[in-house]
Amino acid sequence: MKFASAYEPGEFESEIYAGWEAAGVFAPRAVVDDSKSFSIVMPPPNANGNLHIGHGLTIALEDSLTRYHRLKGESAWYIPGADHAGFETWVVYERALEAKGETRFNYSRDELYAQVWDFVQEQRGNMELQVRALGASCSWKDLTFTLDENVVRRVYKTFERMWKDGMVYRGEKLVNYCPKHQTAFADIEVEYSEDKGKLWDIAYQYDGGEIIVSTTRPETLFGDTAVAVNPEDARYKDLIGSFVKLPLTDREIPIVADEHADPEYGTGAVKITPAHDYDDFEVGLRHDLPRVRVIDDAGKMVGCGPEYDGLSTEECRKKVLKDLKTAGLLRGEKAITHSVAHCYKCGTVIEPTLKEQWFIDVKRLAREAIKHLERDEIKFHPASKKQVLINYLEGLKDWNISRQIPWGIAIPMFRRIDSLEAHSTNELADADAPEWIFDTRTNLSEIEVGGVRYVRDEDTFDTWFSSSHWPIVCTDWESGQSGAKDGNPYYPLNVMETGADILFAWVARMIMMGIYVTGEVPFREVYLHGLVLDAHGQKMSKSKGNVINPMELVAKYGSDAFRLGILRGRSAGMNQAFSENSVVAGRNLCNKIWNLSRLVQGIVDDSPSETEVEGWVTTENMGEDWVCREINSARSLIEKQMQEYRFAEAVETIHSLIWDKYADWFIESQKLYHNVNLLKATLEAILKMLHPFAPFVTETIWQNLSWTEGMIINAEWPGEFEFDPISAENFAKLIGVVSEVRSTMTAISKLPKVEKMLKRGGEDKKILDAGDVSAEKGGMVLLYGDDSLVATNDILVKNLAKLAAVESCEGQPRGIRLALANHELYLDVPAPVVAAYAEALDERILAVGRELDALNARMMNPNYVDKAPAALVEETRRAIEEKNRLIEGLKNERNLI
RNA sequence: GGAUCUUUAGCUCAGUUGGCUAGAGCGUACGAUUCACAUUCGUAAGGUCAGAGGUUCGAGCCCUCUAAGAUCCACCA
């Protein structure tokens, strides 16, 4: 098979992926023990969405890890997922309903669920295609959808156990309520922003006086059940325990003493609305105050009297202010800035609202999690996140898991029908039957147990409640367990890779739930990636118009280029910039390996096969020894970097091996003498090392090469190359010589005097041509004195440095001496050029002199000689010797001019 | 208010128990080029490692303080 001459990723990527899928290479192999298995789950992308740049990073990281471990011979299992994304999807669907002029309130819960299910099924597939385009080597047959039957079963099982353990309770508490979406949110789902608002002073009167309270929310005064003052506040001490009249109403409310009132703030007196403010709720608990709801689920006023009921909070605020003014009770207003909670999806101001919800008592879960974290059972990347997580868990409040959205897993709780009326009559038909029962028949809206009828709670679980089971359900922990302790080699996961932004929402909950359900932490390591910012370090957002679409980059440069580009310059937990440049650099590397492979294939094709012993890899010259040394050391470096999740550095290591070492020096040296078997073996090795990061191009090359078999995806990670270390080191020295020759040649051609002579032409030109200093084709002549390394490798040096010739000076040194301590080498240039070089030489001598001084100063310090490691001191001593030799040679040279 | 992180070349970032002359990619300048690759090759310029102290034979790295920025948590009647 012949290589296409140009690197065109679009030509082969989808075909290669299809080939992998057809061969079934994504599935885990059979495993013998835990150490031979590697498991990782994909944070499930939204089933009906498109992938964004964050998914691109996620997959690049996770798939590189997976492929690396697969090459290392482990049974790698990368488990894909799809998220029903409860609220996210719901928002999209509700918008679609609105577009049709309908609302969710036209349908029952079950009807809505069915509709969204169909909607998601229609949209699904897109996301999976994109995950494939990014090259994810995940086991598709194991894809888990967050509403799959086994997920629901597992979630119900956990919930039942929690219910029996007394960790689930029904509470009337304040929840973060979005009046637009009409659902409650967890604390972490709420976004705060600094908003401009106003602080109004309102007079609450009593016989013979008034007390002024400050508030930003006058409309909630109908829900006030007290006024609080600080017990230490001398101004109000005498009023504590007395009553004031609530403005615009006939009610009287008490004045209570509570630390919550800050004498420094406003007037020092604060109205208490336990049903609509978190702090006031706490104050209410302390003073046993009634809770009066004045805002209903739709965000309208309720129970405030006919003039106000039905108004929106904003309308009501205006009216209340107007009425207070009329009544002469409004005493002042001032503008303030305060942080206000918003719905993270629609921006609507969150209304803290009193609701009956299911809560999970998290104390025990958090305590256990902290215990395991403190025992270092999970390693974090970056390490600092462990303590951040512990701090969070220490202050964790009970978890509201009820969501008033039909699209999700139904909460398996049923309430006896008669209890609904019983609240008003205080009578139950059968006093022994519990008010709430657990039952998994959530497909029914009404059930009968023991002659008592129950109706299903309409609410669904917070999606984090189900997704906290992710490692458990994806690895099928239960069936794998089958009684034996070490029955499932894939649980705990080797690593959990996800965004640092969901450390609390997801990682924390997986840890708590994993420990609760299995007794073990759900993963051994956590790698958190930061946000991908735009090229200027700004957050990407639609409104800023700086969103980068990963699929566009894949189409333009190839999947491999995208992966290499997004991994570059990135480290754990940091928000870092990303630009197309890095993808271009990735594409260039792919192009490099493509052409390198074509060249090697060309050499193999041209070599008569009978001269090669099949598979016999040995080194025959120092370039070959050197490349083996470099491959070995790059390989162990990459192993170390992958072990420590330093992806960007691993990419840099392989980039440098391929480009700066393999192509620039080894392949160049192989243009003189071929070692076909070694060329084959070394190319295979670098392809394998690149494969985790650039799977498509490496697989395509692998399958195009005439001698390779099977697929690179499940090839064996390269082993150790044998080489002669002295010979390898000699090649390294030769690289130093060639670099110095090139550098000096460039310096000569740039000398102002030489440039002038070149320009003048005539006699000057003739003289210069004799030494060919213009560094054009043909080049200069390198003369060696007593230098066996260069003498025995004269042709190689000539080719690598593009010289006209490399010859012995026959004891007659002339031209410019190279600034190399251990070599006696001269560039043969005419006398006027040597003279012109004198100044540069002086500078060079001074520079080396400065380096020598620094080294000498160090050795003069007795403390250094005494305290620094002996090896280091010895090294310094050698360096001084070398510099001395060099400076002496250069000075001799200078004297000759 | 509390916590965590960041500050290194023009830009984006590496720099792993402290050790020689601080690296990469991109960008810049000069030069090259008929076959592996212009998605190339060669050479070079560019850094008082945010600032100030301290520990040490030795600090980009450890300690203290300061400044700037980011993120998270809490509070804001």
Side-chain angles (χ1 to χ4, degrees):
Chain A
M1 194 193 270
K2 270 281 174 200
F3 267 115
S5 61
Y7 167 64
E8 295 283 358
E11 300 287 310
F12 54 75
E13 287 189 355
S14 53
E15 197 184 316
I16 287 289
Y17 196 93
W20 285 328
E21 277 201 272
V25 287
F26 295 160
R29 305 165 192 172
V31 290
V32 188
D33 60 78
D34 276 16
S35 67
K36 288 283 180 205
S37 71
F38 176 81
S39 53
I40 181 169
V41 297
M42 183 186 297
N46 193 337
N48 70 319
N50 286 305
L51 299 192
H52 55 68
I53 196 81
H55 293 115
L57 175 59
T58 296
I59 287 172
L61 291 164
E62 293 167 3
D63 191 54
S64 299
L65 263 178
T66 305
R67 287 177 185 272
Y68 169 72
H69 284 277
R70 192 184 285 119
L71 287 174
K72 293 282 281 179
E74 294 163 36
S75 175
W77 193 17
Y78 184 16
I79 310 166
D83 190 1
H84 74 283
F87 186 60
E88 307 282 333
T89 303
W90 179 249
V91 169
V92 174
Y93 188 71
E94 202 169 31
R95 225 176 268 149
L97 271 181
E98 272 171 27
K100 285 193 286 182
E102 300 188 48
T103 98
R104 63 191 267 199
F105 305 107
N106 299 346
Y107 299 98
S108 74
R109 183 196 171 283
D110 293 336
E111 283 168 340
L112 286 165
Y113 186 91
Q115 285 174 23
V116 182
W117 181 273
D118 292 341
F119 175 73
V120 168
Q121 294 310 316
E122 261 172 50
Q123 305 280 316
R124 243 175 106 168
N126 204 29
M127 174 277 279
E128 291 175 20
L129 280 178
Q130 294 176 5
V131 171
R132 284 179 165 86
L134 287 166
S137 60
C138 53
S139 187
W140 287 106
K141 68 178 173 58
D142 302 312
L143 181 132
T144 307
F145 181 52
T146 48
L147 292 182
D148 279 348
E149 201 246 324
N150 62 321
V151 179
V152 176
R153 199 174 346 112
R154 179 62 252 176
V155 166
Y156 283 179
K157 212 164 168 179
T158 303
F159 186 75
E160 182 180 18
R161 188 176 145 199
M162 287 182 158
W163 174 244
K164 284 181 181 157
D165 284 354
M167 293 162 73
V168 174
Y169 67 94
R170 182 100 181 145
E172 188 180 55
K173 278 207 200 180
L174 283 185
V175 295
N176 303 301
Y177 192 81
C178 171
K180 175 159 191 304
H181 290 114
Q182 305 209 359
T183 184
F185 288 115
D187 292 343
I188 44 171
E189 288 174 313
V190 171
E191 276 176 1
Y192 289 86
S193 65
E194 290 294 319
D195 291 1
K196 287 199 169 72
K198 280 181 179 162
L199 192 63
W200 287 279
D201 292 337
I202 301 170
Y204 284 32
Q205 296 180 317
Y206 55 91
D207 269 349
E210 61 183 31
I211 185 166
I212 314 284
V213 302
S214 303
T215 182
T216 53
R217 305 217 45 198
E219 70 276 13
T220 62
L221 72 80
F222 300 108
D224 289 1
T225 52
V227 168
V229 295
N230 195 287
E232 305 300 317
D233 195 332
R235 289 172 293 178
Y236 304 118
K237 240 180 174 143
D238 297 342
L239 293 175
I240 294 166
S242 65
F243 285 77
V244 293
K245 182 175 164 291
L246 189 60
L248 309 180
T249 71
D250 303 329
R251 281 161 50 207
E252 291 214 320
I253 54 173
I255 295 176
V256 298
D258 196 281
E259 299 287 345
H260 168 64
D262 176 2
E264 307 292 317
Y265 194 94
T267 59
V270 53
K271 67 198 234 5
I272 301 299
T273 324
H276 294 287
D277 182 281
Y278 285 97
D279 289 319
D280 293 3
F281 182 82
E282 298 294 321
V283 175
L285 281 181
R286 288 196 284 270
H287 299 277
D288 203 19
L289 299 172
R291 301 166 196 157
V292 180
R293 255 192 90 173
V294 293
I295 302 168
D296 69 11
D297 288 354
K300 305 283 192 216
M301 303 308 293
V302 64
C304 311
E307 283 180 72
Y308 303 100
D309 283 354
L311 295 178
S312 75
T313 52
E314 262 170 61
E315 290 162 349
C316 184
R317 177 178 301 178
K318 278 184 201 150
K319 183 159 170 54
V320 164
L321 287 169
K322 201 178 124 214
D323 294 349
L324 285 171
K325 209 166 180 182
T326 311
L329 297 174
L330 190 62
R331 294 302 153 83
E333 80 173 50
K334 81 174 178 201
I336 56 157
T337 306
H338 58 155
S339 91
V340 179
H342 296 269
C343 170
Y344 79 109
K345 206 71 208 178
C346 66
T348 305
V349 174
I350 291 291
E351 203 64 66
T353 298
L354 206 55
K355 281 194 87 70
E356 270 208 8
Q357 312 263 296
W358 292 110
F359 286 86
I360 293 190
D361 176 358
V362 296
K363 276 190 295 293
R364 175 177 150 195
L365 294 174
R367 203 172 47 233
E368 284 296 310
I370 293 168
K371 209 165 79 190
H372 285 77
L373 286 171
E374 280 174 345
R375 278 193 225 130
D376 277 329
E377 290 176 21
I378 301 176
K379 193 172 175 193
F380 283 78
H381 307 272
S384 62
K385 294 291 183 186
K386 185 186 102 175
Q387 198 51 48
V388 172
L389 187 56
I390 290 176
N391 293 347
Y392 170 75
L393 289 169
E394 281 171 346
L396 194 58
K397 289 197 210 138
D398 284 356
W399 179 7
N400 166 17
I401 52 162
S402 296
R403 293 293 178 275
Q404 292 74 48
I405 301 169
W407 180 236
I409 299 177
I411 295 179
M413 294 300 285
F414 290 75
R415 186 179 199 169
R416 42 186 309 183
I417 285 182
D418 53 5
S419 78
L420 293 169
E421 297 107 46
H423 267 290
S424 47
T425 62
N426 268 332
E427 254 172 55
L428 283 175
D430 178 357
D432 291 337
E435 184 181 354
W436 288 95
I437 56 164
F438 171 90
D439 200 295
T440 58
R441 288 175 286 168
T442 50
N443 55 326
L444 305 173
S445 56
E446 204 177 309
I447 56 172
E448 201 180 303
V449 177
V452 183
R453 284 164 58 223
Y454 292 85
V455 287
R456 184 188 61 205
D457 182 6
E458 286 285 285
D459 290 349
T460 52
F461 280 110
D462 173 10
T463 46
W464 296 117
F465 186 79
S466 49
S467 49
S468 62
H469 292 76
W470 208 236
I472 300 168
V473 293
C474 285
T475 57
D476 199 7
W477 171 77
E478 274 167 292
S479 68
Q481 192 78 350
S482 64
K485 170 73 194 73
D486 49 358
N488 190 336
Y490 298 106
Y491 185 97
L493 301 170
N494 289 64
V495 59
M496 182 69 228
E497 193 288 328
T498 191
D501 53 336
I502 48 175
L503 173 65
F504 299 154
W506 197 29
V507 178
R509 283 168 168 68
M510 282 190 285
I511 293 171
M512 289 193 290
M513 206 61 81
I515 294 168
Y516 181 70
V517 173
T518 74
E520 255 184 303
V521 293
F523 27 75
R524 296 290 178 214
E525 299 194 55
V526 173
Y527 181 91
L528 297 165
H529 62 255
L531 290 179
V532 181
L533 308 175
D534 79 359
H536 308 288
Q538 298 294 307
K539 242 184 209 172
M540 289 188 197
S541 74
K542 277 183 197 153
S543 56
K544 277 189 224 157
N546 60 350
V547 174
I548 301 173
N549 178 351
M551 290 305 128
E552 280 173 21
L553 290 173
V554 168
K556 194 166 167 191
Y557 300 104
S559 189
D560 296 322
F562 172 77
R563 293 166 57 122
L564 290 165
I566 199 151
L567 291 180
R568 191 181 292 273
R570 208 158 288 282
S571 47
M574 302 244 293
N575 299 345
Q576 284 159 319
F578 172 67
S579 73
E580 203 165 317
N581 280 345
S582 58
V583 181
V584 171
R587 191 268 319 261
N588 293 354
L589 179 62
C590 294
N591 180 67
K592 191 74 183 175
I593 189 79
W594 181 265
N595 285 293
L596 210 45
S597 305
R598 284 206 303 136
L599 175 72
V600 172
Q601 181 65 62
I603 292 172
V604 171
D605 289 344
D606 292 345
S607 306
S609 55
E610 63 270 21
T611 64
E612 301 299 332
V613 181
E614 197 60 43
W616 178 255
V617 178
T618 179
T619 55
E620 285 158 13
N621 60 45
M622 43 182 219
E624 293 166 7
D625 286 312
W626 176 83
V627 84
C628 290
R629 184 182 87 175
E630 296 305 312
I631 290 175
N632 282 351
S633 82
R635 200 206 53 229
S636 26
L637 190 55
I638 290 172
E639 285 169 354
K640 187 167 179 251
Q641 286 161 338
M642 290 304 279
Q643 209 62 45
E644 295 170 6
Y645 298 88
R646 302 150 83 96
F647 301 94
E649 286 172 60
V651 167
E652 202 172 305
T653 304
I654 187 66
H655 179 281
S656 157
L657 177 69
I658 290 172
W659 207 307
D660 307 337
K661 297 186 168 124
Y662 197 80
D664 284 357
W665 294 104
F666 171 63
I667 286 295
E668 288 306 317
S669 77
Q670 284 286 301
K671 285 178 178 174
L672 272 181
Y673 331 93
H674 302 151
N675 180 339
V676 172
N677 281 352
L678 186 78
L679 274 169
K680 287 180 181 173
T682 51
L683 179 66
E684 284 176 32
I686 62 173
L687 284 170
K688 287 173 187 173
M689 284 191 258
L690 180 61
H691 181 258
F693 314 104
F696 290 105
V697 69
T698 47
E699 185 70 80
T700 308
I701 291 169
W702 189 267
Q703 294 183 18
N704 269 292
L705 293 172
S706 61
W707 70 89
T708 51
E709 284 170 9
M711 291 179 165
I712 197 172
I713 185 174
N714 49 15
E716 220 177 289
W717 185 248
E720 194 85 4
F721 282 94
E722 280 183 24
F723 66 95
D724 173 357
I726 294 169
S727 167
E729 183 54 28
N730 277 338
F731 192 76
K733 283 179 186 158
L734 210 67
I735 289 175
V737 168
V738 172
S739 298
E740 186 63 25
V741 171
R742 287 170 175 173
S743 167
T744 310
M745 286 197 302
T746 307
I748 290 168
S749 68
K750 281 186 186 167
L751 289 171
K753 285 177 187 166
V754 173
E755 281 178 345
K756 233 181 257 170
M757 284 192 279
L758 278 166
K759 215 183 264 174
R760 273 205 298 269
E763 197 57 25
D764 281 343
K765 185 84 168 70
K766 235 188 265 172
I767 294 169
L768 291 176
D769 281 349
D772 204 352
V773 299
S774 51
E776 276 161 22
K777 209 181 161 194
M780 305 186 196
V781 173
L782 182 72
L783 300 173
Y784 55 85
D786 181 16
D787 196 321
S788 61
L789 184 64
V790 174
T792 52
N793 294 284
D794 49 354
I795 300 171
L796 187 58
V797 172
K798 171 180 168 288
N799 282 15
L800 290 175
K802 297 209 160 48
L803 289 156
V806 175
E807 298 163 354
S808 166
C809 69
E810 314 273 349
Q812 299 283 317
R814 60 183 183 278
I816 292 170
R817 181 174 174 151
L818 297 184
L820 287 163
N822 301 316
H823 299 271
E824 193 191 345
L825 297 167
Y826 306 86
L827 275 171
D828 187 13
V829 291
V833 176
V834 178
Y837 192 72
E839 235 170 82
L841 195 57
D842 285 339
E843 260 172 49
R844 189 69 195 245
I845 290 167
L846 286 175
V848 178
R850 279 192 297 271
E851 287 164 18
L852 188 58
D853 289 347
L855 289 173
N856 277 326
R858 190 176 304 154
M859 286 303 279
M860 299 294 262
N861 182 343
N863 281 325
Y864 175 70
V865 182
D866 285 353
K867 295 186 181 171
L872 196 66
V873 176
E874 183 49 36
E875 215 173 295
T876 310
R877 194 166 280 142
R878 263 203 308 273
I880 290 177
E881 265 174 43
E882 204 165 279
K883 298 272 181 227
N884 271 325
R885 251 199 326 274
L886 175 57
I887 216 161
E888 203 177 317
L890 291 174
K891 275 182 179 162
N892 285 340
E893 175 70 10
R894 180 70 183 88
N895 291 336
L896 288 176
I897 297 173

